[in-house]
Amino acid sequence: MPQIFHRSTNTLSKISILSAAFVALALLGIFMTIDRAGFTTRKGVTMMQPIPFSHEHHVSGLGIDCRYCHTAVEQSATAGTPPTATCYNCHKLIWKDSPMLEPVRASFRTGEPIHWTKVHDLPDFAYFNHSIHVAKGVGCAECHGRVDKMALMRSEHALQMRWCLECHRNPEPHLRPRDKVFDMAWKSDDQETLGASLAKDYHLRTTNDLTSCSTCHH
């Protein structure tokens, strides 16, 4: 019986298979790069806001506590965006004629809320509760970064599932005394010992519980 395919077909088939595998790996690499890129995760991206609010000025410069503006952070899943009245409490006296703050005055006059651009925007299918993290001694800076050094707010971390799981698998390095949760500059001299002690004191759930799908996806 005559040979149907030429001998070179064997070589061509091997090259085709290897080329297909190479292309698949290249596409996977491109996808992973895009998935981790700043324009996808918003990591390091400063969002434009209707008013150039500076956490650096208000937190570091003036010493205003996080809870003055984010009043619900200890009791609610969301930290809460301050109403215009909170801003106006000070700015009806300070910089009261500044053109930059006209949106604050206009909002207070009309009752129309200021439409801030959300910086840390989790997908709707991911559930995050601020109050439980605060209660367990996770400082604001762990997720939001040193906002006291941010002239304009940006996302310090890529808030993706892999990043959350890194902490849920090993939370001890991220724990602090509850009275230091809102202290941006706080550092422990011996975090390994302190973290292990606080994990017991705060009755942290098991790793299996913390990494269970139902913990963040209700």
Side-chain angles (χ1 to χ4, degrees), residues 169-204:
R169 290 184 180 121
N170 184 33
E172 287 82 0
H174 308 282
L175 303 181
R176 59 178 70 190
R178 290 192 180 102
D179 62 347
K180 301 297 183 183
V181 165
F182 303 100
D183 185 343
M184 289 289 132
W186 182 86
K187 290 290 183 184
S188 171
D189 294 329
D190 185 3
Q191 182 61 38
E192 184 176 358
T193 302
L194 178 65
S197 175
L198 291 177
K200 293 180 181 179
D201 293 343
Y202 295 160
H203 305 292
L204 260 64

Side-chain angles (χ1 to χ4, degrees), residues 56-64:
E56 180 181 31
H57 171 68
H58 289 81
V59 178
S60 180
L62 301 178
I64 296 177

